[in-house]
């Protein structure tokens, strides 16, 4: 049974929550109150004078224990509440739905669209819902109904990403509709990408890098020799090849990446045999490149926030400078390094300090050419940079 629990907010956090900060941090409410909570409970936040601040639901993920959904004391969270939010989110993406050159994008981005803890992505008629806590999953019926009341669809799929470590829960992801015959091919700025919504945690493409892929294709690839590290299905390599790169080299540790990368090249009319696809550890590849005196004009670095192999662990918050130094060593003078991270635990300023550190330690001059954050469909309130997790910097190596 879902309860309504009153949570007393610590004075230090009350100001932000009153101003519209949507996440309730673990330390934001007094402990004896938060101990009463069960996933999916509603809560009412009050300040230390017992004045009402906001209402929301309890769901544990990363740093937070819940999300604010409403500033109306009388809000009862009926179906209409969820349907309205979904309607509004769709209306804000009307230009995406009209654009036939792009058929995959995000239609609902959690707190940016008024309900933290859940996202919905669109893939040419198919929808994929990601649930980030048990609490939000307990609102599954309301949210799926909201989606059904807002749009037509071929089918709906879902990913549960809330086991103890925030990881994907292995399951059949089909929810309702007519099951897709995967892989399906979606378009992104007229590039083709193969997608499978029922094949584990990942779908084949990270939609938040759309603008970066276009920039690489349109402005950075022509005539270039490109290295794509942590390449997954090779989406950046496809963009570079379509932009006229002389050659691309894609490096990923996972053996599944080989077949998936061949597939992405092939559906774009690119002969994969003219490209290099390596299944190997990126850090071994850097050594291999040095041994063979390989250099690249364009190097993409897009590591996972954390990775563990048998021999080492890698964390972007700690090891990004080292990764950049390895990349600098095999980048041609005047070449471009595309440094990307989706780690939400640090911001652009810190990321740029990693860049500064790596170049100064290698005594190399550089220039930041441009930078990217989340694309428009990944709506995130401008006031709170911590929700803008994506940071991508195009750096030119000058010396
Ligand atoms: N850049 C990709 C997404 C990267 S996802 C894109 O644009 O689609 C992270 C990838 O890093 C995964 O495919 C994972 O297999 C790979 N990976 C993690 N650690 C690695 C390592 N040490 N060497 C090579 N690949 C690694």
């Amino acid at each position: 049974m879902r309860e309504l629990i009153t949570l007393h907010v610590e004075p230090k956090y009350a100001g932000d929550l009153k101003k519209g900060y949507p996440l309730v941090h673990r330390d934001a409410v007094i402990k004896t109150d938060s101990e009463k909570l069960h996933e999916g409970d509603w809560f009412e936040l009050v300040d230390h004078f017992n004045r009402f601040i906001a209402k929301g639901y309890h769901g544990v993920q990363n740093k937070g224990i819940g999300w604010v959904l409403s500033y109306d004391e009388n809000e009862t969270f009926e179906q209409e509440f969820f349907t309205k939010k979904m309607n509004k989110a769709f209306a804000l993406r009307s230009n995406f739905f009209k654009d036939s050159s792009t058929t995959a994008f995000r239609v609902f981005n959690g707190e940016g669209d008024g309900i933290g803890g859940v996202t919905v992505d669109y893939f040419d008629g198919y929808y994929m819902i990601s649930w980030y806590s048990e609490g939000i999953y307990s609102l599954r019926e309301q949210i799926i109904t909201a989606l059904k009341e807002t749009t037509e669809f071929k089918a709906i799929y879902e990913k549960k990403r809330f086991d103890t470590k925030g990881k994907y829960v292995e399951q059949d992801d089909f929810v309702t509709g007519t099951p897709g015959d995967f892989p399906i091919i979606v378009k992104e700025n007229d590039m083709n990408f193969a997608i499978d919504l029922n094949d584990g945690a990942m779908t084949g493409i990270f939609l938040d890098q759309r603008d970066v892929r276009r920039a690489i294709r349109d402005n950075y690839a022509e005539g270039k020799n490109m290295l794509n590290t942590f390449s997954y299905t090779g989406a950046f390599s496809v963009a570079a090849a379509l932009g006229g790169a002389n050659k691309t080299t894609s490096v990923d540790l996972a053996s599944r990446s080989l077949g998936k990368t061949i597939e992405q090249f092939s559906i774009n009319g690119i002969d994969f045999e003219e490209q290099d696809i390596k299944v190997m550890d990126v850090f071994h590849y850097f050594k291999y490149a040095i041994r063979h005196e390989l250099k690249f004009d364009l190097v993409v670095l897009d590591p996972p926030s954390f990775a563990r192999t048998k021999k080492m662990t890698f964390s972007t918050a700690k090891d990004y400078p080292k990764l950049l130094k390895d990349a600098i060593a095999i980048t041609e003078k005047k070449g471009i390094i595309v440094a990307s991270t989706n780690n939400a635990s640090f911001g652009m300023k810190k990321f740029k300090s990693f860049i500064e550190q790596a170049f100064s330690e290698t005594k190399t001059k550089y220039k930041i050419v441009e930078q990217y954050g989340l694309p428009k469909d990944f709506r995130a309130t401008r006031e709170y940079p911590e929700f803008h997790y994506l940071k991508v910097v195009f750096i030119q190596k000058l010396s």
Side-chain angles (χ1 to χ4, degrees), residues 202 204-206 209 213 228-236 251-254 256-257 280-283 300 302-304 306-309 312 314:
M202 305 202 276
I205 188 178
F206 288 92
Q209 297 277 15
R213 281 187 286 268
N228 183 10
T229 64
F230 308 95
S231 55
Y232 180 40
T233 65
F236 287 125
V251 184
D252 197 292
L253 193 62
R256 58 155 197 244
S257 65
M280 77 193 274
D281 189 315
V282 163
F283 296 96
V300 175
D302 183 31
F306 303 96
R308 179 168 290 152
T309 65
M312 63 178 290
F314 173 85

Side-chain angles (χ1 to χ4, degrees), residues 52 62 66 72 80 92 110 122 132 134 143 162 177 182 224 233 259 290 305 316 344 350 360 377:
F52 173 82
N62 315 344
D72 174 0
E80 196 194 351
L92 287 164
Y122 174 78
Y132 287 89
E134 263 172 59
I143 288 168
F162 54 79
F182 296 117
K224 297 297 191 311
T233 65
I290 294 207
S305 288
T316 42
K350 178 93 174 270
S360 78
D377 47 327

